[in-house]
Amino acid sequence: MKSYTGKTVEEALEEASKELGIAVDELIYSVSDKKKGIFNKKLIVDVYDLSDVIKYAEDYILNVTDSLGIESSVNSRLDDDIIRITIDSTHNPILIGKNGKTLQALNELVKLATSNYFKKRFRILLDINGYKDNKYDRLNHVARKCAREVQKTKATYTFDPMPADERRAIHNACSGMNHIRTESIGEGTHRQVQIIYVE
């Protein structure tokens, strides 16, 4: 982390951009409420790199699990601009929840807290004991099976609403299949994937 000062946030970010050689819109930062001096008031903007973002997300997860009385550890890696964080705890099934709902909620909390703190959106994906990878494998199998059925019947198949990462798994599973197109429909938590027959 490095701090920059300016009369405005924009001024401080311009200074950081020049010094670091990074475009302003690509900077990861937070604005400190501290001011310098009595008459010469300036904002302090803290500029971070990606390792600071990952550390913040990890600490957030550990604080949440600690407050639940669950001892846990985290391991992170960056994969195609996605911060993948694996959690291992003394109570993995509790953190996963029924049909992965608790894990999904924790994922949303971490993503929102991190993006809010750094004023930038990040793609963060949590997993516990390979739960997500297993789910992607099952979705891949189901999606291809449904797509083959759509190829035969030419009738559109619509999945139940699911999170973005699971919808992406279905899109990927069906890409390249003959006469098959996928698209997401709906808004927010009601977004669904459709498998559609095309001539």
Side-chain angles (χ1 to χ4, degrees):
M1 179 189 79
K2 194 162 182 189
S3 297
Y4 296 86
T5 58
K7 290 178 183 174
T8 64
V9 172
E10 291 75 20
E11 186 180 297
L13 290 176
E14 280 296 329
E15 183 186 334
S17 175
K18 286 177 190 168
E19 184 178 311
L20 300 172
I22 300 171
V24 170
D25 61 343
E26 292 179 15
L27 290 172
I28 303 167
Y29 69 94
S30 68
V31 180
S32 173
D33 58 357
K34 301 175 204 163
K35 308 280 186 188
K36 263 185 134 179
I38 298 171
F39 300 108
N40 187 16
K41 292 188 176 185
K42 291 190 176 184
L43 287 170
I44 299 174
V45 176
D46 298 324
V47 177
Y48 302 89
D49 62 28
L50 209 46
S51 65
D52 296 315
V53 175
I54 293 169
K55 177 83 170 82
Y56 179 89
E58 288 177 343
D59 288 346
Y60 188 90
I61 292 164
L62 293 173
N63 285 337
V64 169
T65 56
D66 282 351
S67 67
L68 295 171
I70 297 173
E71 191 177 312
S72 60
S73 62
V74 292
N75 185 16
S76 303
R77 74 180 198 278
L78 191 62
D79 185 17
D80 292 332
D81 293 330
I82 300 173
I83 300 170
R84 295 184 182 271
I85 303 175
T86 303
I87 304 169
D88 188 29
S89 78
T90 53
H91 295 86
N92 285 344
I94 291 172
L95 290 179
I96 292 171
K98 186 177 181 182
N99 294 325
K101 295 289 186 194
T102 306
L103 178 59
Q104 189 61 39
L106 182 58
N107 202 135
E108 282 303 308
L109 273 175
V110 173
K111 199 168 17 173
L112 287 170
T114 305
S115 297
N116 185 51
Y117 185 82
F118 292 103
K119 309 292 186 273
K120 185 172 180 164
R121 288 186 62 176
F122 296 97
R123 290 173 64 191
I124 298 174
L125 187 61
L126 302 186
D127 197 5
I128 297 176
N129 200 25
Y131 174 81
K132 278 290 188 181
D133 288 334
N134 292 337
K135 188 153 194 180
Y136 296 149
D137 288 344
R138 288 193 309 273
L139 282 172
N140 188 353
H141 175 72
V142 169
R144 293 186 68 78
K145 182 179 175 185
C146 291
R148 285 191 293 273
E149 191 62 30
V150 170
Q151 286 172 328
K152 289 177 192 170
T153 64
K154 300 182 182 179
T156 298
Y157 182 86
T158 305
F159 286 90
D160 289 337
M162 61 182 68
D165 59 308
E166 294 175 14
R167 291 194 310 272
R168 194 175 306 111
I170 291 174
H171 290 302
N172 291 341
C174 296
S175 68
M177 291 184 75
N178 292 331
H179 303 290
I180 291 295
R181 175 173 63 87
T182 58
E183 74 176 45
S184 291
I185 59 167
E187 296 295 325
T189 57
H190 300 292
R191 259 175 103 63
Q192 301 167 277
V193 177
Q194 287 189 324
I195 299 178
I196 302 163
Y197 183 84
V198 288
E199 291 294 341

